[in-house]
Structures are given as structure tokens and as C-alpha cells.
């Protein structure tokens, strides 16, 4: 399984489509909620909810701070 971290604009269109297509191809996706955007706050909220619905049907959503913190906890092999 390969993982993707997704950022971008138009959460409800481009980001959502990217995550759905990636999921269909076997990728696990994480959308950074503060690194995506929409012209409409309601579309932003619903777009992120749709991605993470039913325990991450298309992917997971988290703020970038949590993602960066998780990266610092990983040991880098020498």
C-alpha cells in the first residue's frame, strides 16, 4: 500500500476527485485540512466530511500540525 498526503485548492472538486481516484487505485490518502481550500466555507466543511466519512471511506483528514508532529516521531533509518 502506498500513502499520499494531499493538499490543494477547491476541496469539493479537485481535492475530492484526486482523493477518490487515488483511493480507487489503492492509495491511502491523508488530506491536510488546513492545506486545502474552497471559495465556500460550507463546501470546504462538507468536502472534508465526505472524504473521512464512514471511518475514512476515501481517506483521512488531519491538520498539518498533527502530520508534522507525527513525522518528527518517526525514526529515520541510518
Amino acid at each position: 500500500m502506498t500513502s499520499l498526503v494531499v493538499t490543494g485548492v477547491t476541496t469539493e472538486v479537485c481535492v475530492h476527485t484526486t482523493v477518490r481516484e487515488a483511493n480507487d487505485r489503492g492509495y491511502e490518502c491523508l488530506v491536510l485540512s488546513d492545506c486545502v481550500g474552497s471559495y465556500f466555507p460550507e463546501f470546504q466543511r462538507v468536502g472534508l466530511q465526505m472524504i473521512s466519512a464512514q471511518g475514512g471511506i476515501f481517506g483521512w483528514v488531519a491538520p498539518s500540525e498533527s502530520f508534522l508532529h507525527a513525522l518528527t516521531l518517526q525514526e529515520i533509518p541510518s
Side-chain angles (χ1 to χ4, degrees), residues 49-62:
Q49 285 179 332
M50 289 173 67
I51 291 167
S52 62
Q54 299 180 358
I57 194 166
F58 298 126
W60 292 271
V61 175

Side-chain angles (χ1 to χ4, degrees), residues 8-42:
V9 292
T10 327
T11 305
E12 70 280 7
V13 180
C14 299
V15 172
H16 200 266
T17 300
T18 299
V19 170
R20 289 179 64 174
E21 288 286 331
N23 179 268
D24 288 347
R25 288 167 170 74
Y27 290 89
E28 292 182 341
C29 297
L30 172 64
V31 176
L32 300 181
S33 58
D34 54 325
C35 296
V36 294
S38 173
Y39 292 107
F40 308 102
E42 183 68 7

Side-chain angles (χ1 to χ4, degrees), residues 57-77:
I57 194 166
F58 298 126
W60 292 271
V61 175
S64 60
E65 183 177 344
S66 296
F67 174 67
L68 294 172
H69 178 71
L71 286 179
T72 63
L73 297 176
Q74 301 297 315
E75 290 185 30
I76 300 173

